[in-house]
């Protein structure tokens, strides 16, 4: 066993010990030794031996299930009585069968644990996510514009935000205020007489208080171009102005996210890409090693992202593609004949299109090590495979243009998590405002989302799946009964990746976990 493998195994065992205490104490009522019978010792787990994989569990040419079963993470969990009992429950099996749901749970354990304790509230948020799904692109655009405004004009935006009603009035018709971009004194004069200004009269008191705030006016005088920045995105901001509470929350979230990301060295352009893709960034934040690999090979990943089906297939079975790390031409040749390649046949058209994409192939020829980078973190990337379509060229290009910042971010788990949560909150608040303006949300739905922004934003990755989970009493019971166990799993990236792996449910079946309670 190599030093790296030994260290990884030691790390997993340490995490597993914490996990299984949590499962035993809070999920099943009993505490077992984590892997071995002797206190203070952990015997090496035998490689799992199972019956032959059946057609129901794996398609010909797909080795993801047997390979997953040979990982240290799977060995550790499948040999533990506590985990086997938890995983054998119908509720856990229902969750494991939805990899996007499990990925969201692992990325946001605290948010979902709190919400699962109230099934009706969970259903309300899930239904809200489903109803708002059509508005997501519009809300993401508004989030990106608001974040950009705070990143580029922080003091001026904070000055305007000191009077939320005034800012709401500006955002509802931002183009009408663009004439103040070269003359902040003119804005102060107009605001001080707001009752006689058609654009300010309905919020006259707020504008007058803003005009009387010397600190705020100094900030605007130092940066009047904030008005032209807002006018440039007038259409995006108009939808946000229709729900005062959501707008205020979105402003706070945008300010927090901008500050957090700027402190990490993230550029304004990259911020906009993150704000437009909050679910994808949340998934990456839960797997920092995958984020680090993407940052180190960002151009190659951006090329692959233009062919999401091919990328998903590679991510789901990354170790099978490692052999191309020294020969991108061999990959191109194999992809061009994908129908005859066991690992590509199910997505033959996608691979053939990738092989014919000269720009993408040039990026891979310049950095074929992207294949070994994924292979070295196969478990992490497999957990992201079901969300591969969210890793779009816009997001990956943003990472590519700011690679060093994202590489550093991947090594700072606390800051990475805080940035992800701030963006999720911004996404939720923008969606509430957009949905309320479009009459998609009533007051109850709006309040449910505002009370659970992280969970709502995570549900937006797959609203239908979460709506189905909300109607599954066994799944809801499993969530509500095991909050500390799920949080312990989520705290260990390798174990979290295992839970979110698309092959996890099939692997559990092959391991006989579904019969463990009967035994």
């Amino acid at each position: 066993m190599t030093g790296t493998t030994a260290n990884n195994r030691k790390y997993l065992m340490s995490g597993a010990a914490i996990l299984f205490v949590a499962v035993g104490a809070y999920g099943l009522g009993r505490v077992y030794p984590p892997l071995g019978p002797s206190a203070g010792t952990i015997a090496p787990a035998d490689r799992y031996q199972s019956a032959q994989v059946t057609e129901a569990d794996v398609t010909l040419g797909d080795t993801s299930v047997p390979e997953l079963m040979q990982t240290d993470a799977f060995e550790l969990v499948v040999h533990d009585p506590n985990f086997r009992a938890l995983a054998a429950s119908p509720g856990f099996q229902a969750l494991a069968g939805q990899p996007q749901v499990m990925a969201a749970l692992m990325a946001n354990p605290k948010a979902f644990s709190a919400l699962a304790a109230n099934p009706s509230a969970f259903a309300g948020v899930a239904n809200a996510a489903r109803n708002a799904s059509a508005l997501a692109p519009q809300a993401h655009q508004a989030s990106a514009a608001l974040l950009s405004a705070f990143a580029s004009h922080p003091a001026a935006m904070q000055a305007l935000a000191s009077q939320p009603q005034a800012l709401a009035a500006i955002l509802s018709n931002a183009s009408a205020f663009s004439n103040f971009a070269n003359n902040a004194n003119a804005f102060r004069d107009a605001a001080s007489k707001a009752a006689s200004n058609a654009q300010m009269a309905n919020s006259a008191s707020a504008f007058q208080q803003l005009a009387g705030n010397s600190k705020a006016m100094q900030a605007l005088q130092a940066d009047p171009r904030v008005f032209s920045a807002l006018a440039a995105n007038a259409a995006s901001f108009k939808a946000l102005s229709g729900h005062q509470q959501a707008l205020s929350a979105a402003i706070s979230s945008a300010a927090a996210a901008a500050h957090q990301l700027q402190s990490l060295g993230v550029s304004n352009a990259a911020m906009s890409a993150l704000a437009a893709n909050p679910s994808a960034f949340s998934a990456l934040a839960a797997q920092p090693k995958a984020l680090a690999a993407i940052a180190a090979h960002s151009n190659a990943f951006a090329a692959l992202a233009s062919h999401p089906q091919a990328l998903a297939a590679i991510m789901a079975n990354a170790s099978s593609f490692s052999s191309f790390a020294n020969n991108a031409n061999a990959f191109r040749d194999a992809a061009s004949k994908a129908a005859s390649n066991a690992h590509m046949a199910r997505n033959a058209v996608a691979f053939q299109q990738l092989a014919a994409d000269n720009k993408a192939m040039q990026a891979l020829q310049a950095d074929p090590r992207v294949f070994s980078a994924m292979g070295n973190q196969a478990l992490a990337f497999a957990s992201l495979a079901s969300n591969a379509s969210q890793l779009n060229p816009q997001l990956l290009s943003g990472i590519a243009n700011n690679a060093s910042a994202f590489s550093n971010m991947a090594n700072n788990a606390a800051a990475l998590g805080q940035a992800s949560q701030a963006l999720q909150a911004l996404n939720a608040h923008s969606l509430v405002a957009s949905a309320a303006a479009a009459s998609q949300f009533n007051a109850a739905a709006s309040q449910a989302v505002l009370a659970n922004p992280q969970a709502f934003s995570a549900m937006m990755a797959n609203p239908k799946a979460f709506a189905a989970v909300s109607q599954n009493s066994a799944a809801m019971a499993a969530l509500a009964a095991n909050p500390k166990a799920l949080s312990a799993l989520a705290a260990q990236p390798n174990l979290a990746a295992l839970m979110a792996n698309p092959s996890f449910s099939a692997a559990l079946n092959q391991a006989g976990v579904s019969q463990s309670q009967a035994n």
Side-chain angles (χ1 to χ4, degrees):
M1 181 180 291
T2 67
T4 299
T5 302
N7 288 337
N8 287 341
R9 189 167 180 79
K10 180 179 179 181
Y11 171 77
L12 276 169
M13 289 178 175
S14 175
I18 297 171
L19 162 67
F20 298 134
V21 169
V23 172
Y26 300 101
L28 305 174
R30 298 180 66 187
V31 178
Y32 292 84
L35 287 173
S38 303
T41 63
I42 299 179
D46 293 331
R47 290 288 175 192
Y48 188 78
Q49 302 295 323
S50 72
Q52 185 175 359
V53 177
T54 67
E55 291 182 3
D57 292 316
V58 61
T59 302
L60 183 64
D62 182 0
T63 61
S64 56
V65 173
E67 288 185 5
L68 179 66
M69 295 173 71
Q70 296 302 313
T71 64
D72 286 340
F74 188 82
E75 287 184 39
L76 285 164
V77 297
V78 82
H79 282 80
D80 184 85
N82 290 313
F83 181 80
R84 289 177 68 89
L86 173 64
S89 71
F92 188 89
Q93 290 176 19
L95 295 172
Q98 294 279 0
Q100 282 189 309
V101 170
M102 192 63 87
L105 295 177
M106 292 294 99
N108 305 273
K110 292 182 180 178
F112 280 104
S113 294
L115 189 57
N118 187 339
S120 62
F122 189 104
V125 176
N127 287 332
R130 184 171 55 182
N131 293 337
S133 59
L135 296 171
Q138 173 185 328
H140 292 165
Q141 185 177 2
S143 295
L146 190 59
L147 185 63
S148 178
F150 267 98
S152 302
H153 308 274
M157 285 298 296
Q158 289 286 7
L160 294 174
S162 67
Q163 290 296 326
Q165 278 189 296
L167 179 54
I170 294 171
L171 294 180
S172 67
N173 192 9
S175 59
F177 289 80
S178 61
N179 60 309
F180 297 120
N182 294 313
N183 194 340
N185 288 332
F187 172 78
R188 182 195 59 205
D189 293 343
S192 66
K193 304 171 185 176
S196 59
N197 184 295
Q199 307 301 330
M200 303 179 184
N202 290 336
S203 303
S205 178
F207 276 106
Q208 288 168 350
Q209 291 181 51
L210 179 58
N213 184 330
S214 59
K215 183 177 179 180
M217 291 312 303
Q218 286 173 3
L220 291 174
Q221 287 171 334
D223 186 15
R225 302 302 296 174
V226 66
F227 291 108
S228 59
L230 296 178
N233 293 284
S236 296
F237 291 134
K238 187 174 179 62
L240 295 181
S241 64
H243 193 290
Q244 183 65 58
Q245 184 181 3
L247 173 60
S248 296
I251 289 169
S252 296
S253 298
H259 175 74
Q260 184 71 33
L261 292 169
Q262 283 184 324
S263 69
L264 294 169
V266 177
S267 68
N268 290 358
M271 282 188 212
S272 294
L274 296 181
N277 299 278
S279 295
F281 183 61
S282 176
L284 289 175
Q287 292 299 327
K289 289 184 179 179
L291 177 59
I294 290 173
H297 303 274
S298 51
N299 290 325
F301 272 103
L304 290 171
S306 61
H307 299 273
Q309 280 187 295
L311 175 59
I314 295 170
M315 292 170 68
N317 204 4
S319 59
S320 297
F321 290 81
S322 294
S323 59
F324 298 118
N326 294 312
N327 194 340
N329 288 331
F331 173 78
R332 183 194 59 205
D333 293 342
S336 67
K337 304 171 185 175
S340 59
N341 185 292
H343 302 299
M344 302 180 186
R346 293 177 63 188
N347 299 279
V349 173
F351 276 106
Q352 288 167 351
Q353 291 175 345
L354 173 58
D357 184 338
N358 290 332
K359 184 177 179 180
M361 291 311 305
Q362 286 174 3
L364 292 177
Q365 287 171 335
D367 184 16
R369 304 300 295 175
V370 66
F371 293 110
S372 58
M374 282 192 277
N376 291 338
Q377 301 298 334
L379 195 59
F381 277 102
S383 74
L384 298 171
S386 60
N387 292 310
S389 62
Q390 296 178 12
L391 301 178
N392 56 51
Q394 178 196 19
L395 174 63
L396 294 181
S397 292
I399 295 175
N401 294 330
N402 210 188
S404 61
F406 283 96
S407 180
N408 292 334
M409 195 188 307
N411 294 317
N412 188 340
L416 182 59
Q418 290 170 1
S420 174
Q421 289 177 6
L423 287 171
Q424 284 183 305
L426 173 59
N427 177 49
H429 299 147
S430 294
L431 270 163
V432 169
S434 298
S439 300
Q440 295 292 319
F441 278 9
N442 57 25
S446 295
Q447 291 305 314
V449 173
L450 291 173
N452 300 277
Q454 265 77 40
F456 172 78
S457 184
M459 288 180 181
M460 289 301 298
N462 194 335
K464 290 183 180 179
F466 275 100
V469 167
S470 73
Q471 300 303 310
N472 187 319
S473 59
M476 292 300 299
L479 277 177
N482 297 284
K484 293 191 176 181
L486 293 173
S487 292
L489 280 165
Q492 299 292 331
N494 280 319
L495 297 178
L498 178 69
M499 301 298 113
N501 193 298
S503 300
F504 182 53
S505 181
L508 288 178
N509 288 335
Q510 286 301 306
V513 171
S514 59
Q515 287 80 41
S516 64
Q517 281 187 327
N519 295 335

